[in-house]
């Protein structure tokens, strides 16, 4: 996958410890040789196909090996376990989202009005968190690994920056914290499981709330 | 403890399955004889004293038996385990909150302007959720037991009803869902652990957000 190069860490004045591309679960991925990287991406691509086609609960190591056309030993060596595959998928989804948010096309990326960016941010984030929630539930991650992770800080700083650009006043760190908490509830409560609150309704609800907040 | 009798289930038109006083962790407490009830309340009162004085992590069964003036066997028979004590404390805190919210003095209880009730609701809820978060963390409850439990529905319906009374329009079930998710983040992220966001700041942030939403 060709992604645009990561933006410089000065985009939001983030300290290096929470720079873009930070792992959802903390830590830095080790460097890898290019054939290992190709293998890794091939396995992850196959995992994404199986999840989209069959559902995450059907992703076994046997099926993944068949779909990726590699031996099961290769997957275990690369990812350690089924949970290891999920963590890598989480990290890739997070990195991809952060790059779109900071350097992708508007309205999610730079160039649009800050309110339109905030609306687009929530809508896109709800989609990503829905997938991530499935991965986290399936890998039985503890709640602290779902909430309050380094990736959360990146999105909080982003939201705070947009609110400031839109000349919203008040305690912006708390407002940003609250807005991200609202979105991240999806990491724990699967949408649809909650009295028919679907992903599109949540996305529209986000837009409604943001426009009211800044009116 | 003398609590006012629970309000009738027609107060908010709640179906019986989510009527006031519902257990935070589901299920209905078994009936008990009055001496057993006294013993139970004595043990829970001692537990609240130890938690307030020493911190929850110091609450051992030995210390609890000494403080309550009962044998350790009595506590095990009544609560099963240390986690059982925490669950009972959670249930009592939840029931007590629901009674204050539905039948206590204004502005949390009936009689005040709906916006003032909503502000008071969030402020009081933040205090309760802070205590409950400690109990849930210490009893290692899974995230699903922290979020999306029956008690959540009672608060969502309450918030929805206040928003309707305040003539807020839009998708009120989603707005109420989002507002409760925001508050319930405290069940997972201990306030203060998050970049200096303290309980009073969260409470002020709630008020700011509510007044902006309904302006």
């Amino acid at each position: 996958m060709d992604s645009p190069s990561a933006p410089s860490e000065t985009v939001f004045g983030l300290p290096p410890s929470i720079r873009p591309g930070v792992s959802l679960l903390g830590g830095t991925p080790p460097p890898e040789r290019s054939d290992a990287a190709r293998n890794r991406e091939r396995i992850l691509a196959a995992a994404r196909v199986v999840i989209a086609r069959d559902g995450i609960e059907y992703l076994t190591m046997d099926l993944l090996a068949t779909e990726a056309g590699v031996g099961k030993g290769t997957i275990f060596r690369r990812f350690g376990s089924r949970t290891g595959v999920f963590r890598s998928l989480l990290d890739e989804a997070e990195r991809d989202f952060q790059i779109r948010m900071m350097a992708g096309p508007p309205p999610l990326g730079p160039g649009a009005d800050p309110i339109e960016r905030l609306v687009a941010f929530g809508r896109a984030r709800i989609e990503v968190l829905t997938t991530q929630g499935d991965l986290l539930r399936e890998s039985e991650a503890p709640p602290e690994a779902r909430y309050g992770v380094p990736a959360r800080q990146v999105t909080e700083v982003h939201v705070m920056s947009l609110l400031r650009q839109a000349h919203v006043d008040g305690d912006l760190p708390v407002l940003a914290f609250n807005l991200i908490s609202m979105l991240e509830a999806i990491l724990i409560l699967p949408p649809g499981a909650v009295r028919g609150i679907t992903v599109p309704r949540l996305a529209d609800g986000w837009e409604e709330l943001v426009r009211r907040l800044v009116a």
Side-chain angles (χ1 to χ4, degrees), chain A:
Chain A
M1 191 179 74
D2 286 323
S3 356
S5 61
S8 104
E9 70 194 39
T10 59
V11 176
F12 292 101
L14 299 180
S17 62
I18 54 167
R19 67 182 181 275
V22 75
S23 162
L24 182 69
L25 296 156
T28 314
E32 42 189 1
R33 296 202 336 261
S34 68
D35 55 341
R38 267 195 305 275
N39 241 340
R40 177 190 152 81
E41 187 39 51
R42 185 176 179 168
I43 294 164
L44 292 179
R48 280 188 288 261
V49 166
V50 172
I51 291 171
R53 187 190 63 201
D54 304 338
I56 192 169
E57 64 275 29
Y58 293 99
L59 186 76
T60 61
M61 294 299 252
D62 283 312
L63 180 56
L64 184 53
T66 309
E67 292 278 341
V70 299
K72 229 164 83 171
T74 306
I75 306 181
F76 276 108
R77 263 194 310 280
R78 200 65 200 77
F79 297 98
S81 64
R82 187 169 174 260
T83 300
V85 175
F86 292 155
R87 295 195 163 210
S88 295
L89 288 171
L90 279 166
D91 281 351
E92 297 235 324
E94 191 60 36
R95 258 194 297 274
D96 182 60
F97 177 81
Q98 289 179 19
I99 290 168
R100 285 165 56 211
M101 168 180 111
M102 301 206 206
L108 179 56
D113 169 82
I115 301 304
E116 300 312 313
R117 285 192 76 190
L118 195 55
V119 167
F121 165 81
R123 288 189 171 275
R125 194 70 185 150
I126 285 168
E127 296 285 343
V128 174
L129 293 174
T130 302
T131 310
Q132 290 187 334
D134 288 343
L135 290 165
L136 286 163
R137 268 183 293 281
E138 195 70 15
S139 58
E140 294 174 17
E144 292 71 19
R146 304 192 192 183
Y147 253 64
V149 290
R152 180 182 170 114
Q153 295 187 30
V154 177
T155 55
E156 273 187 42
V157 171
H158 181 66
V159 165
M160 212 157 63
S161 155
L162 293 177
L163 290 168
R164 195 174 293 123
Q165 287 170 44
H167 307 293
V168 174
D169 57 8
D171 192 342
L172 297 190
V174 167
L175 184 53
F177 172 87
N178 279 331
L179 291 175
I180 297 295
S181 293
M182 222 177 76
L183 293 173
E184 290 197 348
I186 308 175
L187 294 176
I188 293 177
L189 298 175
V194 185
R195 294 178 292 298
I197 295 183
T198 58
V199 171
R201 267 181 83 186
L202 273 182
D204 291 345
W206 166 264
E207 173 154 4
E208 209 175 278
L209 184 130
V210 166
R211 297 205 184 277
R212 226 172 235 159
L213 275 180
V214 301

